Amino acid sequence: MVKRRIAEILRSGQPDESLLIQGWVRTKRELKGFSFIEVNDGSSLASLQVVMNQDLPDYEAIIKKLNTGASVEVAGVLVPSQGKGQRIELKAETVKVYGEADPETYPLQKKRHSYEFLRTIGHLRSRTNSFGAVFRVRNACATAIHQFFQERGFLWVHTPIITASDCEGAGELFNVTGFNLKDIPRTEKNAVDYAQDFFGRPTYLTVSGQLEAEVMAMAFSNVYTFGPTFRAENSNTSRHLAEFWMVEPEMAFCDLDGDMDLAEAFLKHVFKYVLETCPEDMEFFNQRIDDTVLATAENIINNEFQRLTYTEAISLLEKADVKFEYPVSWGLDLQSEHERYLAEQLFKKPVIVSDYPAKIKAFYMRLSDDEKTVRAMDILAPKIGEIIGGSQREERLDVLEKRILAQGMKPEDLWWYLDLRRYGTVPHAGFGLGFERLVQFMTGMGNIRDVIPFPRTPQSAEF
């Protein structure tokens, strides 16, 4: 008897095929002389209907165990379905119950549950339709990302999770220590004696793999990272996580125009792949979560992104017939409401804003000839605002040293990063994309905590 996944059976299974399935019971209906159960194994949104006749061995004992949530193995023959909504069903010949689920205590009964409630049962919520669809789309997004870069000859590099550098200079870092917190060594001046710590210096969980990706790009030309990053930002909002995944390509011999071209092609590829790979799940989101999900995806795929400078964007915002909550003037960073106005109302498609004021951007971004702006870019998308941030990096040693000092950082802490400019420096560029932000945007889910299996947020590390 051949074991098959339910997605494959629903797609191509034929009557008279003998096969075996394993999964979890979603629903049960008992009728006179026979029963129906819906079995789902996580491979698809839809479940496979199983018909059990009362002449099955131990029918009465088995049917009592087949409550919602029970795990089961069914062997049988596919037959044409007599009911509506499914092409085929499985006529059971043998049924084995692996694990029961008490209907009095199992929290996922056949009814709608709020996402707030489902977050309290993170160990079970993936069995629901919504989260099954989310995590299949998340998987497809990750596959598309690797496919995009691998097809273009990029090297996937694993940058460190433990680091001594703060890439963004924001200071929102989780400390890493081997100290016994009840007995921390102190210097004569009563400062923490990091020389006695595991790494001999202050270390942190990384906020970005970019600086290390630049190291690798200086040897392999085109590289990308795809891994977890961390921010100790005490923000209890629907947009923030303390642990999230970042995608960060880095390209040697590349300027900002090349960076923008790659970022646009990247987003189009990922959206196209997901629409082709997960049509059922995306239709579910369009029907149940946000009825603009499919239109937004098509907008990304089929439109050339609008490009304009920060200065042009500020001018357009100042002329806008809209009352913004936050002020608009040259030198201030764009807020989400400004970004969404440009992408949703003004251009009605993704927008790439470039050449931001140097004072509001990171030290590593290339200073423009006007010495007021840097060669940075953000991609702004309808419904969410900024989805990608990138820049051409500063490849000139003297300029980079001045930028580091101007931001109150110590050049000696980044000696290795400066070495890249001393030995064989080249123009190079890259961008970063928050993976969960992408999945949230693609699915229409309202809270970023619902697009990662185990969200890490302030006061929450339960599962």
Side-chain angles (χ1 to χ4, degrees):
M1 188 84 51
V2 178
K3 179 184 173 183
R4 301 267 298 277
R5 295 301 300 272
I6 286 172
E8 181 191 356
I9 295 167
L10 294 173
R11 184 170 57 247
S12 59
Q14 297 299 319
D16 299 326
E17 280 188 64
S18 295
L19 50 83
L20 179 144
I21 64 167
Q22 295 168 324
W24 291 266
V25 175
R26 285 287 177 87
T27 62
K28 174 178 70 172
R29 279 190 299 143
E30 293 184 65
L31 302 172
K32 190 173 183 179
F34 61 96
S35 297
F36 295 110
I37 59 171
E38 297 273 345
V39 179
N40 190 285
D41 64 0
S43 63
S44 71
L45 186 66
S47 301
L48 180 63
Q49 182 164 278
V50 176
V51 186
M52 300 171 55
N53 289 328
Q54 65 180 4
D55 57 2
L56 274 175
D58 299 321
Y59 173 82
E60 294 295 339
I62 289 173
I63 205 68
K64 287 181 181 178
K65 297 178 181 179
L66 291 178
N67 297 302
T68 298
S71 53
V72 65
E73 176 182 282
V74 182
V77 178
L78 289 179
V79 297
S81 179
Q82 302 301 309
K84 293 181 179 180
Q86 63 267 332
R87 179 177 61 88
I88 52 175
E89 57 193 21
L90 185 63
K91 186 177 180 182
E93 294 177 346
T94 65
V95 179
K96 176 181 178 181
V97 180
Y98 281 103
E100 297 181 50
D102 184 351
E104 297 297 320
T105 58
Y106 183 61
L108 290 176
Q109 294 303 315
K110 188 174 170 54
K111 64 176 182 178
R112 280 205 163 187
H113 300 284
S114 72
Y115 291 124
E116 289 79 7
F117 168 71
L118 291 172
R119 279 177 222 129
T120 69
I121 52 167
H123 57 307
L124 297 172
R125 68 176 185 167
S126 296
R127 300 187 192 183
T128 64
N129 283 339
S130 294
F131 286 96
V134 164
F135 297 133
R136 280 187 295 272
V137 166
R138 184 183 171 102
N139 173 71
C141 282
T143 302
I145 287 165
H146 284 298
Q147 183 187 73
F148 177 84
F149 290 118
Q150 292 295 326
E151 286 177 351
R152 286 160 177 78
F154 280 66
L155 187 78
W156 181 25
V157 298
H158 301 133
T159 51
I161 287 174
I162 298 173
T163 180
S165 62
D166 176 6
C167 175
E168 299 299 327
E172 295 161 343
L173 301 132
F174 286 104
N175 288 10
V176 174
T177 182
F179 284 149
N180 175 354
L181 298 184
K182 295 180 180 178
D183 186 20
I184 297 175
R186 300 278 178 177
T187 65
E188 290 180 2
K189 296 182 178 179
N190 204 35
V192 175
D193 188 359
Y194 285 106
Q196 296 187 50
D197 205 354
F198 188 92
F199 292 105
R201 60 182 300 171
T203 50
Y204 318 96
L205 295 180
T206 186
V207 298
S208 168
Q210 180 204 310
L211 302 189
E212 291 86 358
E214 287 186 54
V215 170
M216 300 301 283
M218 293 304 105
F220 297 98
S221 296
N222 292 339
V223 303
Y224 71 104
T225 76
F226 188 3
T229 54
F230 308 85
R231 297 277 167 89
E233 185 178 1
N234 194 11
S235 295
N236 230 328
T237 77
S238 62
R239 290 168 55 87
H240 291 90
L241 290 167
E243 176 185 324
F244 54 97
W245 285 60
M246 286 282 286
V247 180
E248 297 174 297
E250 199 70 35
M251 296 81 69
F253 309 100
C254 182
D255 61 12
L256 187 66
D257 289 331
D259 198 28
M260 292 190 287
D261 290 343
L262 188 87
E264 180 172 343
F266 168 77
L267 279 180
K268 289 179 185 292
H269 175 87
V270 174
F271 272 85
K272 189 170 185 289
Y273 181 90
V274 172
L275 284 188
E276 291 172 351
T277 308
C278 302
E280 185 185 34
D281 294 317
M282 291 300 288
E283 184 62 44
F284 170 83
F285 292 121
N286 204 67
Q287 289 181 3
R288 299 289 187 89
I289 306 298
D290 179 349
D291 63 6
T292 67
V293 160
L294 293 179
T296 300
E298 295 290 349
N299 189 348
I300 295 277
I301 295 166
N302 297 322
N303 279 307
E304 194 171 300
F305 294 8
Q306 181 70 41
R307 300 190 184 189
L308 66 159
T309 66
Y310 167 88
T311 300
E312 291 168 337
I314 291 296
S315 177
L316 290 169
L317 290 166
E318 287 176 335
K319 295 173 185 174
D321 189 21
V322 175
K323 177 76 172 171
F324 293 117
E325 181 181 351
Y326 291 93
V328 176
S329 65
W330 203 97
L332 296 179
D333 208 355
L334 298 182
Q335 300 297 317
S336 180
E337 61 174 339
H338 307 142
E339 296 168 342
R340 292 187 61 175
Y341 168 78
L342 293 169
E344 289 174 31
Q345 297 182 50
L346 191 59
F347 294 107
K348 296 181 170 57
K349 63 179 181 178
V351 176
I352 307 182
V353 178
S354 65
D355 299 283
Y356 282 81
K359 288 184 178 180
I360 62 172
K361 289 296 183 180
F363 71 91
Y364 52 75
M365 297 183 178
R366 193 182 201 278
L367 192 64
S368 302
D369 292 341
D370 63 13
E371 297 193 351
K372 294 180 180 178
T373 61
V374 288
R375 298 293 282 154
M377 67 91 178
D378 287 337
I379 296 186
L380 316 179
K383 310 289 288 184
I384 197 166
E386 182 195 337
I387 193 167
I388 280 179
S391 71
Q392 184 173 336
R393 317 310 190 189
E394 183 55 77
E395 85 279 12
R396 299 164 295 185
L397 177 62
D398 58 334
V399 179
L400 182 59
E401 287 177 325
K402 290 175 184 175
R403 293 274 288 150
I404 290 172
L405 288 168
Q407 296 205 12
M409 302 171 72
K410 297 178 181 177
E412 57 268 28
D413 290 342
L414 289 166
W415 62 270
W416 54 273
Y417 189 68
L418 293 169
D419 266 4
L420 299 177
R421 279 71 180 170
R422 291 189 179 99
Y423 310 121
T425 188
V426 300
H428 59 291
F431 63 81
L433 168 128
F435 184 54
E436 284 73 26
R437 190 70 62 84
L438 174 66
V439 178
Q440 187 183 7
F441 177 39
M442 190 170 284
T443 59
M445 295 294 284
N447 195 313
I448 202 166
R449 303 173 193 207
D450 297 329
V451 296
I452 187 169
F454 307 103
R456 296 288 175 258
T457 55
Q459 304 298 310
S460 179
E462 184 73 20
F463 301 102

